[in-house]
Amino acid sequence: MIKEIGRTALVLYGSETGTAHDVAEEVGRIVERLHFATQILSLDATEPAALTQHAIVIIAISTTGQGDLPNNARHFWKRLLRRKLPPSYLEGANVTSFGLGDSSYPKFNWAARKLHKRLIQLGARELYPCGEADEQHAEGLDATFLPWSIKLREQLLELFPLESGIHPIPDDVLLEPRWTLALVEPVNTNGHISTANGGSSEAIRNGSSNLKGNSSPDELLDVLLVENRRTTSSNHWQDVRHLVLESQHQASYAPGDTITIYPMNAEGDVEHLLSLMDWTGVADEPINFVPAARTRATDMVPPLPIANIRPRSHLTLRKLLMKHLDITAIPRRSFFAFVAHFASNPMQKERLLEFTNPEYVDELYDYTTRPRRSILEVIQEFDSIKIPWQWATSVLPELRGRQFSIASGGQLKKGESNITRFELSVAIVKYKTVIKKIREGVCTRYLARIPTGSHMQVTLQKGGLSITKAEARLPVVMIGPGTGVAPMRSLIWERLEWAEELHNGQNKTDHGSTNTTVNIGESVLFFGCRNREKDFLYEDEWEGLEKKMNLKVFTAFSRDQKRKVYVQDRIREQSDLVFRLLHECGGVVYICGSSGKMPQAVREALIEVFQGGTRMEREDAEAYLIQMEKEGRYKQETW
């Protein structure tokens, strides 16, 4: 039986890169149109007990690392795992979830599955069957989200019928945004800053203090860019940079951890958008966020639409567009639904609305994702769109930071005077689309042009490989083609330092020892790229490291001979060594790099290695690999 607590909806998300957050926002709009009073929060901004205080709870969550929950969902998960919680703890909660995963990972959509299972264990009721999206799907997220959300809407109307005379809010009716922008007017006689649409900074401060809101971003680190060097040859199609960042702040990190860099849009793109939207006249005026009228009178002001901006920040529209709003992102279906309201040309309006129709999902994919068409280009093509500047943060998505695996470890983590040092290996995204247009990644374009000596703000996050010093004595097999070698390089330098520490500790009791790596497990790296002469990353380091520690490096240069050779081929060639390290010695395997075909090809090679080493059946070899995953000896981090 459905528990009635008013017509309220709690939409939660756990998101690493922002996609699950976008899904939560879209779900929130669906339930709002069904007249649910809706809150949208990160999981960590919510106490588990709050799930029983709403008529429905819908969760959008991605999976990271080795089946882990995103950073902004882990505290919520820990609270759910408390042993003292009774089986009836969430009795009365009506929940469903939508998981976002990548089937190239062994633990596909693991976070959504284990979270849902735990909620049911604690007494929650499944409101509607859970949905799952696969990043590898040819038609993208909407291929599974659209049919799932349509049926969810039908189920909600069946379980929560509207009163007689009340109908769902039609799609052609524009929902009031939770926040709008307003010009900041002079300080009034009470010392409060007023805004041009009737809100005030006092209202924002009071409202924000009564809401836990979205979890705050990780602590920002000020860093100095001291090196920005191309590591691939000038005649190679791919520009890969070696970046070195230094910070006066003492920060510790481990192999597999990541740095998030917050890019800026190109000044020319921002100027173009300001001109297209007729926003130039207000671009440099001071502005502020103002909550919607429906929430101004309540104690529950929603979180701001941009995570790393605080209500009292000194903002202008130009600053928002330069640093905080993504104008070159591929637009989602919801974007077309928004901007159709602001198109004055009837034919353009009709075309924009067609892209929101689930029946035209293939057409939307061909127009946006396939050619990688940007929001700015859509606005340019549909030139009758004039978005009110007050709605900028409601229509344009947030410009989120991009994560990069740290490539430094061991002695490379410290600069002069004990400065914290971060080294990155970054592939600059630049390519031609099917419509022959040049595309550039917003972050890597920013990094390709930023000069050394520039100051930046970054955040440091724990990675999903969970590498610890306790693994020092275990042998490791590392597979890292392309920039996937970055975390492997970090691990190799870290293991060299661990070896020296173990050696120094042993010397206190054994003065006759001379081998500095006698106590460290064997290390094997399989690295792959196209050509030895063009993109052999860190070539100058490997020979020296092999002399310093128990390291073997095997390379696969796919285009240096007629027959293409990849890392999985080298694994098969070294099957005796790989079998000994992983099966006989209980070693750990790490796979990093592209999330396309490589992880599955490597997995297949490892299965063949186990089949050959023990003459076991394929089924048994697969079972052994699954057992390695359970034991934490098979770890994958791909992107």
Side-chain angles (χ1 to χ4, degrees), residues 336 339-340 343 348-356 382 385:
F336 291 94
V339 297
Q348 291 188 5
K349 187 184 188 77
E350 183 181 354
R351 181 60 173 154
L352 290 165
L353 288 173
E354 283 180 1
F355 287 131
T356 70
F382 291 84
I385 295 173

Side-chain angles (χ1 to χ4, degrees), residues 395-534:
V395 178
L396 301 173
E398 182 179 0
L399 180 57
R400 296 185 172 98
R402 271 54 169 182
Q403 291 184 338
F404 298 96
S405 294
I406 300 172
S408 47
Q411 67 186 49
L412 301 183
K413 291 156 70 170
K414 295 295 179 185
E416 294 181 7
S417 304
N418 221 27
I419 286 175
T420 305
R421 185 180 176 96
F422 306 96
E423 299 186 8
L424 307 175
S425 184
V426 177
I428 304 301
V429 178
K430 187 174 182 179
Y431 58 95
K432 265 189 182 179
T433 70
V434 292
I435 56 175
K436 307 301 180 185
K437 284 198 173 184
I438 298 293
R439 296 283 186 251
E440 295 182 82
V442 64
C443 190
T444 56
R445 177 175 65 171
Y446 166 70
L447 291 176
R449 291 164 172 78
I450 189 170
T452 56
S454 300
H455 288 270
M456 307 161 62
Q457 286 193 319
V458 303
T459 52
L460 176 64
Q461 291 88 20
K462 286 291 178 188
L465 294 180
S466 303
I467 298 171
T468 67
K469 194 174 180 179
E471 298 174 359
R473 296 181 187 274
L474 292 175
V476 295
V477 174
M478 299 165 281
I479 299 115
T483 54
V485 79
M488 305 296 90
R489 177 179 183 258
S490 173
L491 177 57
I492 289 168
W493 279 98
E494 198 82 355
R495 285 174 71 84
L496 176 61
E497 184 169 85
W498 291 342
E500 291 169 350
E501 290 174 2
L502 287 169
H503 171 72
N504 292 336
Q506 179 173 306
N507 272 350
K508 293 178 181 179
T509 56
D510 181 7
H511 297 289
S513 176
T514 58
N515 187 344
T516 60
T517 62
V518 68
N519 291 310
I520 202 80
E522 291 180 64
S523 302
V524 172
L525 170 67
F526 290 94
F527 171 77
C529 63
R530 290 199 171 200
N531 310 99
R532 174 185 284 275
E533 300 300 324
K534 292 184 177 182

